[in-house]
Amino acid sequence: MNSYGLAAFKAFLQSEHSEENIEFWMACEDYKATKSPLKLAVKAKKIYEDFIEKEAPKEINVDHYTKDITMKSLIEPSTATFELAQKRVLSLMEKDSFYRFQKSELYLELIK
């Protein structure tokens, strides 16, 4: 997806009050590109606090198993720390939000 498509999809998610999914996915992509172990640890903590922990300000909808696996992987953060949660969110967006986005006026205008 190009930057215009991503911006349009994000705007669509905002209109549905579910932009936390794409924000989480983008945070994970940034996280995986981080080379410094110290920065990985700092970013991992922030992503967890923002998106995963109970009552997080942008809490994503993932099951307890995924939350537990993610929390355990925070002990030694690696580029794979959020892999399972990111896959679950991507799957949710593909099957649900993106399907509706493709039928939206916003998308139809984008592809003209």
Side-chain angles (χ1 to χ4, degrees):
M1 185 180 290
N2 65 30
S3 60
Y4 293 116
L6 183 59
F9 185 52
K10 188 172 180 181
F12 175 77
L13 290 174
Q14 286 171 334
S15 76
E16 291 200 330
H17 306 288
S18 62
E19 67 270 17
E20 70 278 356
N21 293 325
I22 194 72
E23 289 176 9
F24 172 72
W25 186 85
M26 291 167 62
C28 290
E29 289 299 294
D30 174 67
Y31 175 81
K32 290 189 293 188
T34 303
K35 303 293 182 220
S36 160
L38 182 60
K39 284 185 181 175
L40 266 184
V42 170
K43 285 183 179 184
K45 183 177 186 298
K46 175 128 178 70
I47 291 171
Y48 183 79
E49 289 172 352
D50 286 353
F51 298 100
I52 308 243
E53 74 181 357
K54 191 170 174 61
E55 305 296 323
K58 301 176 186 180
E59 188 175 2
I60 55 171
N61 185 12
V62 291
D63 57 273
H64 289 292
Y65 172 78
T66 302
K67 285 185 177 196
D68 288 346
I69 294 290
T70 304
M71 191 171 70
K72 287 176 183 161
S73 70
L74 288 172
I75 295 166
E76 288 186 47
S78 74
T79 53
T81 296
F82 298 101
E83 194 170 287
L84 179 61
Q86 189 181 20
K87 283 181 182 177
R88 305 260 184 190
V89 166
L90 181 61
S91 177
L92 181 68
M93 286 190 297
E94 286 174 342
K95 292 176 184 166
D96 188 36
S97 307
F98 195 70
Y99 176 76
R100 286 194 312 281
F101 172 62
Q102 289 176 310
K103 301 198 176 311
S104 72
E105 291 289 322
L106 190 58
Y107 180 78
L108 296 174
E109 283 297 314
L110 186 68
I111 61 171
K112 280 186 179 177

